[in-house]
């Protein structure tokens, strides 16, 4: 029987193009992940969060993300260790580009917006 948990089903929200990777405490780099995921489409970004033992791989389009998920679910191995992947969840409390793809994008520091003109 196929082990297809809820993680493999594409989310309803078509804007989600990001996959969550559970790193299982491994010393896995951005390059390791790019090497595994680039075959399925153009990658927009890879974020490795060692303190959380996870990573996020964002594709430029949904089709690529779905293909990567269907091919790598339950078969992704890096350095001989099987990693779990699932769809990243959207951030409901965020709006605008920051929450796009289900992960916060790391932006360079910018100037705060000017205060609105008082009338």
């Amino acid at each position: 029987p196929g082990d297809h948990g809820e993680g493999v089903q594409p989310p309803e929200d078509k804007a989600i193009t990001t996959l969550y990777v559970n790193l299982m405490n491994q010393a896995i780099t951005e390059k390791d992940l790019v090497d595994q995921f680039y075959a399925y489409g153009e990658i927009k970004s890879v974020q490795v969060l060692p303190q959380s033992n996870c990573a996020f791989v964002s594709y430029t389009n949904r089709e690529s993300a779905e293909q990567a998920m269907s091919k790598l679910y339950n078969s992704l191995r890096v350095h001989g260790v099987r990693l779990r992947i699932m769809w990243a969840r959207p951030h409901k409390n965020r709006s605008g580009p920051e929450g796009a793809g289900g992960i916060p994008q790391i932006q360079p520091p910018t100037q705060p917006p000017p205060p609105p003109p008082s009338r």
Side-chain angles (χ1 to χ4, degrees):
D3 177 17
H4 285 288
E6 63 188 56
V8 76
Q9 286 303 318
E12 293 288 309
D13 184 350
K14 294 286 189 198
I16 297 172
T17 59
T18 301
L19 302 176
Y20 165 90
V21 184
N22 183 330
L23 299 180
M24 314 281 192
N25 245 335
Q26 299 300 310
I28 288 172
T29 67
E30 218 172 280
K31 182 185 182 313
D32 293 330
L33 293 172
V34 169
D35 287 348
Q36 296 291 324
F37 285 90
Y38 85 99
Y40 305 101
E42 189 183 343
I43 294 173
K44 182 167 64 177
S45 68
V46 174
Q47 285 185 304
V48 177
L49 307 174
Q51 69 279 14
S52 305
N53 291 322
C54 71
F56 293 96
V57 178
S58 292
Y59 282 94
T60 55
N61 65 62
R62 171 65 171 250
E63 216 174 278
S64 299
E66 286 185 19
Q67 195 180 354
M69 174 59 90
S70 72
K71 295 279 194 279
L72 295 174
Y73 186 77
N74 272 343
S75 66
L76 174 62
R77 286 183 182 275
V78 178
H79 305 311
V81 177
R82 196 169 98 181
L83 305 181
R84 283 183 51 217
I85 65 172
M86 57 188 116
W87 287 96
R89 288 187 198 83
H91 288 288
K92 299 252 185 282
N93 58 352
R94 287 207 172 94
S95 60
E98 172 157 292
I103 58 169
Q105 299 297 320
I106 296 171
Q107 299 293 341
T110 55
Q111 295 299 322
S118 50
R119 296 190 172 174

